Amino acid sequence: MASVSVPRKRRVHGMLKLYYGLNEEGKTVDQAESLDPCDINGPHFDPEVYLNKLRRECSLGELMDQESCMVKQIRSLDSDMQTLVYENYNKFISATDTIRKMKNDFKKMEDEMDCLTTNMAAITVFSARISGTLQDQHAQITKLSGVHTLLRKLQFLFELPARLNKCLELQAYAQAVTSHRRARCVLQQYSHMPSFRGIQDDCHAIMDKLAQELRQKFRDGGSSAKDLSECVELLLQLDEPAEELCDKFLTHARSLSATPTAGTDILEFIDRGCNEFVSSLCLVIASYQELFVNRPQESNLAYKNIPQMAVGKLHAFVDSLAARYFSLVERRIQEEKSVGDNSLLVRALDRFHRRLQAVAKLLPGSAVPSQGTEIVVRAARERVKQYLAALQSFYLDSLTDVRQALAAPRLPELLSSLSASILNQIKTVLASVHLFTAKDITFSNKPYFKGEFCSQGVRESLVVNFIKFVCQSSRQFCESAVDRGGSTPPALLLLLSRLCLDYETSTISYILTLTDEQFLVQHHSPVTAVTALCGEAREAAQKLLNHYVKVQGLIISQMLRKSVETRDWVNTIEPRNVRAVMKRVVEDTTSIDVQVGLLYEEGVRKAHSSDSSKRTFSVYSSSRQQSRYTPSYTPSAPMDTNLMSNIHKLFSERIDIFSPVEFNKVSVLTGIIKISLKTFLECVRLRTFGRYGLQQIQVDCHYLQMYLWRFVSDENLVHFLLDEIVGSTAHRCLDPAPMEQSVIEVICERG
């Protein structure tokens, strides 16, 4: 209702002002049209002229409308006038009462003012009478007052030695110094008078004794920092040398600022250091500054450079004491070898850094806070190194566990478990290290922890170095075939190669992305690229797989070499079955095929011929023809045969025995079989064979061909090497009479 009535009041007031021709200030407005007698709102309005004009210009209907409109306006104005009077009625009554009350108040005030004037006149008369009466005695009273004051001062001077002795007995040193300072100037001024000279000597003796007691109290070392400050304050007032007092104060304060002892944990140790050492140090700094630095310079001290000298000594004192404390802190931090719970160390470092800020506020320009920050930074770096060592140790322990649990059917399970445990350990370590950058940690907003700690400390020194360690430690299994090959299980080499390959394809990228997101890493300084780490992991995987092929090939080769070297091939009996070593070679190759297939894909093979397992071998490899054994044998036939064989080798495809293998099962088995058959060939070339020795080699090679062709990428490679073995045997046979192919097949099928 109030919001509705206010605009209505304004409208009514506006209409009244418009009617009376007033502006906003209540003044009459001179309008040009107000002279028009037909202007119903103007002061010169003439009703007769207005009516005549309406009768001339308006029709009857318009006249009736004009009449109705005018009646409405008259009624509206009457209503507004009544409303205005009603609304202001209370104000009119209140104004009347106020005026009546003011008249009464002013009448009382006039009576009081008359009374006051009468009283002031009486006071003036009395004052004049008193001044006239005491005018003659004023000078005498002033003189007596001065004498009284002087006597009081003399009494104070004569009682001063006794007063000082009493203060000395009660150890009220501050009161004694204050009393002596009040009288010192007067005694010095009148020291030429014997009586004053005696008082001065007594006071000097007493104050020397007091100063001696203060110095003794200074040296005792049992006083608190407050008592120490009071001693220094009093000695300064006794004009003791400020520099000497500074040295004594700091020497005594050094014993007060005791360094903390080792606690049960790092947090308790830091708490003790903050509560005992840092708090005492801050109190010493505040007291020292109040005494020597912020002290108002008095003219009688005559030391204009006390603040500069005192600040220099204070900085040296704080730096030396803090260096001792920081040494203990760093030594205690280095004892924190456990990486189980990092929150305790981070909280301790945060508390240590936070409390040192008080020193920065009390002593601007001090190197203590920056040195404390450096300790925190070094502790963080050392913690990262400890976590890296813990990750490395965890990885090696995991490899030991895997090595002890190696079994062919469990290889995928072991690989998955190893990879998951390493990844979980990395996440756990990152979560622990992330505590250094938490928002509630005071030093986390330092530039080092916002930039270098995240990029160089965590990403490079921890994560990247651990990935490199995994690759490097894996490659170490391939360093020496003698040292490593015999002691490292081939299955472990295969598992590690797959682990490094998985790191190259996905794990490295995931770990680095997780690190960058968790620590908001900004690469202001050069960092190791993901592609470089992936390349290193792939190189390690390739080297491990190559070494696996080499180790497995050497194991089979060792069996073949012993089987060739330990047999008398000239005097052997006619073959009736396949030698056991050949069956062992096929069994081991099959086992390796299963083992590799658990971790690697099949790979691509060339199309096999339909008679791969039925291929026959001539006693001469490649172009060695049976013509040597035909009835037309001539002495020149072997020479021609050898020549043709060598010519054929020139144009045949060269077989690279130790070429790098691909990351698939077929390529791995091909490499192992190439090494094994090449060893078999070289061993055959070092022996001499009889007829049955040649036939036994024929049977063995046919048996190998029946089974090995299905493991390699190209069966022609097996055929070629076996053909070379049979041909080389025939070439070194004293009586090269080959066995019939049908007999060979029967023996192999029976074997």
Side-chain angles (χ1 to χ4, degrees), residues 300-313:
N300 57 347
L301 290 179
Y303 288 107
K304 300 302 181 184
N305 60 342
I306 288 181
Q308 294 81 358
M309 177 272 299
V311 168
K313 288 183 177 293

Side-chain angles (χ1 to χ4, degrees), residues 186-224:
V186 177
L187 292 175
Q188 183 66 29
Q189 183 178 357
Y190 297 100
S191 60
H192 59 281
M193 300 176 66
S195 57
F196 286 96
R197 182 68 179 179
I199 295 174
Q200 186 180 26
D201 293 341
D202 293 342
C203 290
H204 282 171
I206 296 171
M207 295 311 293
D208 289 341
K209 185 178 180 181
L210 185 145
Q212 188 65 28
E213 290 189 9
L214 289 175
R215 295 191 196 97
Q216 184 62 35
K217 188 177 180 181
F218 213 38
R219 288 191 295 267
D220 287 344
S223 305
S224 64

Side-chain angles (χ1 to χ4, degrees), residues 488-501:
T488 305
L492 181 61
L493 297 173
L494 185 67
L495 185 143
L496 290 178
S497 70
R498 184 67 209 192
L499 177 68
C500 292
L501 186 64

Side-chain angles (χ1 to χ4, degrees), residues 420-491:
S421 62
I422 293 174
L423 190 59
N424 289 335
Q425 191 69 12
I426 291 175
K427 291 180 179 179
T428 302
V429 168
L430 288 178
S432 298
V433 176
H434 191 261
L435 295 175
F436 282 102
T437 60
K439 293 182 179 180
D440 58 338
I441 303 300
T442 54
F443 56 77
S444 63
N445 59 355
K446 296 294 180 182
Y448 169 76
F449 285 96
K450 283 187 174 180
E452 186 179 353
F453 176 75
C454 296
S455 62
Q456 298 300 316
V458 179
R459 189 185 191 276
E460 294 297 309
S461 299
L462 181 61
V463 177
V464 172
N465 282 354
F466 175 69
I467 294 173
K468 289 182 178 179
F469 171 79
V470 171
C471 299
Q472 182 180 0
S473 61
S474 301
R475 286 197 300 267
Q476 288 177 355
F477 290 105
C478 311
E479 286 180 355
S480 173
V482 177
D483 298 336
R484 296 286 182 179
S487 61
T488 305

Side-chain angles (χ1 to χ4, degrees), residues 660-673:
V661 297
E662 298 176 1
F663 296 103
N664 58 70
K665 185 178 73 173
V666 171
S667 180
V668 172
L669 268 295
T670 301
I672 295 173
I673 291 173

Side-chain angles (χ1 to χ4, degrees), residues 608-627:
H608 296 158
S609 60
S610 59
D611 59 344
S612 296
S613 61
K614 301 295 184 180
R615 180 182 173 88
T616 60
F617 298 99
S618 64
V619 293
Y620 290 105
S621 63
S622 304
S623 62
R624 291 188 175 97
Q625 303 297 325
Q626 296 292 337
S627 60

Side-chain angles (χ1 to χ4, degrees), residues 714-732:
D714 187 2
E715 62 180 285
N716 292 325
L717 183 144
V718 175
H719 299 328
F720 177 80
L721 290 175
L722 292 175
D723 202 14
E724 283 286 323
I725 293 170
V726 175
S728 182
T729 305
H731 185 65
R732 290 160 179 77

